[in-house]
Amino acid sequence: MGLNKKVLLAEPRSFCAGVRRAISIIELALEKYGAPIYVRKEIVHNHYVVRLLEQRGAIFVDSEEDVPESAICVFSAHGVSPQVRQNAQARSLDVIDATCPLVSKVHQAAKRYAREDRTLILVGHEGHEEVEGTYGHAPDQTVIVETAEDAERLDLPSDAPVAYLTQTTLSVDETKDILEVLDRRFSDLRGPGTDDICYASQNRQDAVKAIVPRSDLVLVVGSRNSSNSIRMVEVAERLGTPSYLVPDVGEFDEKWLEGVETIGVSAGASAPEILVEQLLEKLAEFGYGDIELEQVAQESIVFHPPVRLTDSTPAG
């Protein structure tokens, strides 16, 4: 008997509002000011997107120090620390800020807790750009916590005034365990009224959870340095379904398909839909042409680019 092959396509998937805004900021800046436009770090964590923008005249640099004086410099969607802003000012850079508004909200909260003299517990992955940016808003008062074990080991008295913030791209399950520890350990704990985990990370994880029970295999399109894409793979694995990250269709492995009837497919918030389409075409070649959509939420949020890029006055 042949397999009854099909694809369960998760929705929402691919670009979120913050990523769309960040990419459009570079496209609009190139249109208005011409190439080159310098971008500090990868605008979003997706190699395909970065390559495409490079072909159009964006130059990606590791540090604001690598940007020629007075040039246009775009800050990536992950946000930057105040130190980076000062460095950019010292070099007279013309800064266009593509920080995701949800990350900016976390930065504001970090400043507020620092003013209240609280120790800030930042839940996130050390070395991730977003964590570095948030940390930089109150470096003397911030500790980074990656796991529930880290939270248990915090060397602070139980009545210490503390507050927590989380990296926006984490998985809800991961942070839940950590927040339970903090809740138990500290009597004077503040946190954001609502969860810091952004609506897009949450929705994409929820959509993966919705397709897992009916999937024999879950494929998530996203780059290896994309935190939210990796979390989606982990969500599926935690629920007991084999899951793989697919940076692009060239890394698809047909061995994954052995004995598989239903394949769940999704994509991280920084992965463009074209990569999903290429993967679906590849799966169709192996007989998985029947696609069923599994929608858990509708995303209507739009973040607009800065006015200087959308008004019609010519540059110069």
Side-chain angles (χ1 to χ4, degrees):
M1 204 176 90
L3 292 172
N4 181 19
K5 296 179 176 181
K6 73 166 175 188
V7 171
L8 276 182
L9 189 57
E11 174 83 36
R13 67 178 177 279
S14 294
F15 285 171
C16 60
V19 164
R20 278 204 183 89
R21 173 179 178 269
I23 292 168
S24 77
I25 282 174
I26 296 185
E27 291 171 341
L28 291 165
L30 284 165
E31 268 166 44
K32 185 159 186 168
Y33 303 105
I37 297 286
Y38 291 86
V39 186
R40 185 187 180 276
K41 305 283 189 191
E42 292 190 354
I43 184 71
V44 298
H45 285 160
N46 186 274
H47 302 313
Y48 177 87
V49 171
V50 168
R51 274 202 306 273
L52 227 49
L53 292 169
E54 277 176 338
Q55 284 160 13
R56 299 184 54 179
I59 296 177
F60 291 87
V61 294
D62 248 355
S63 161
E64 62 289 352
E65 307 282 344
D66 302 330
V67 180
E69 297 218 349
S70 312
I72 290 179
C73 175
V74 177
F75 289 157
S76 83
H78 309 100
V80 298
S81 67
Q83 185 61 54
V84 170
R85 290 184 194 279
Q86 285 160 18
N87 295 348
Q89 213 172 347
R91 297 181 67 77
S92 309
L93 301 183
D94 183 356
V95 167
I96 304 175
D97 192 353
T99 302
C100 172
L102 297 175
V103 174
S104 298
K105 209 175 82 181
V106 175
H107 289 181
Q108 295 307 324
K111 286 190 276 203
R112 192 173 70 243
Y113 292 136
R115 282 198 302 272
E116 293 172 5
D117 277 339
R118 292 181 174 274
T119 297
L120 181 57
I121 298 165
L122 179 54
V123 179
H125 297 288
E126 198 152 1
H128 188 278
E129 279 151 56
E130 185 195 320
V131 170
E132 285 178 2
T134 304
Y135 182 87
H137 281 82
D140 302 335
Q141 286 165 255
T142 305
V143 285
I144 297 172
V145 163
E146 296 201 24
T147 62
E149 292 76 51
D150 290 349
E152 291 284 9
R153 281 197 296 265
L154 282 171
D155 188 14
L156 292 165
S158 62
D159 59 350
V162 293
Y164 73 85
L165 290 169
T166 71
Q167 181 182 331
T168 60
T169 51
L170 295 179
S171 88
V172 186
D173 303 334
E174 271 182 303
T175 51
K176 195 172 88 251
D177 298 344
I178 295 172
L179 299 187
E180 279 168 8
V181 174
L182 298 180
D183 237 6
R184 190 185 76 238
R185 285 202 51 196
F186 300 109
S187 55
D188 185 5
L189 174 70
R190 293 275 168 82
T194 54
D195 217 335
D196 275 339
I197 291 175
C198 84
Y199 76 92
S201 297
Q202 174 80 55
N203 286 346
R204 278 153 193 69
Q205 290 171 31
D206 288 348
V208 166
K209 285 180 181 173
I211 59 176
V212 158
R214 294 190 289 143
S215 302
D216 305 307
L217 167 74
V218 171
L219 301 178
V220 176
V221 177
S223 283
R224 287 196 177 81
N225 62 339
S226 162
S227 173
N228 82 87
S229 305
I230 291 165
R231 301 290 86 75
M232 291 162 70
V233 172
E234 290 170 358
V235 163
E237 284 177 340
R238 203 175 286 143
L239 293 171
T241 299
S243 182
Y244 298 97
L245 189 68
V246 186
D248 64 60
V249 77
E251 304 204 30
F252 168 78
D253 186 345
E254 59 188 88
K255 288 206 288 288
W256 298 338
L257 303 179
E258 274 168 35
V260 167
E261 285 204 340
T262 303
I263 302 173
V265 172
S266 189
S270 47
E273 187 62 15
I274 184 167
L275 297 184
V276 178
E277 286 162 13
Q278 289 168 357
L279 177 62
L280 293 175
E281 281 166 19
K282 174 62 80 177
L283 292 174
E285 289 171 21
F286 291 95
Y288 298 87
D290 179 10
I291 296 175
E292 184 186 322
L293 198 63
E294 175 79 56
Q295 184 167 22
V296 300
Q298 274 191 312
E299 292 180 352
S300 53
I301 294 178
V302 176
F303 293 138
H304 296 287
V307 173
R308 67 177 276 192
L309 295 176
T310 52
D311 69 8
S312 51
T313 46

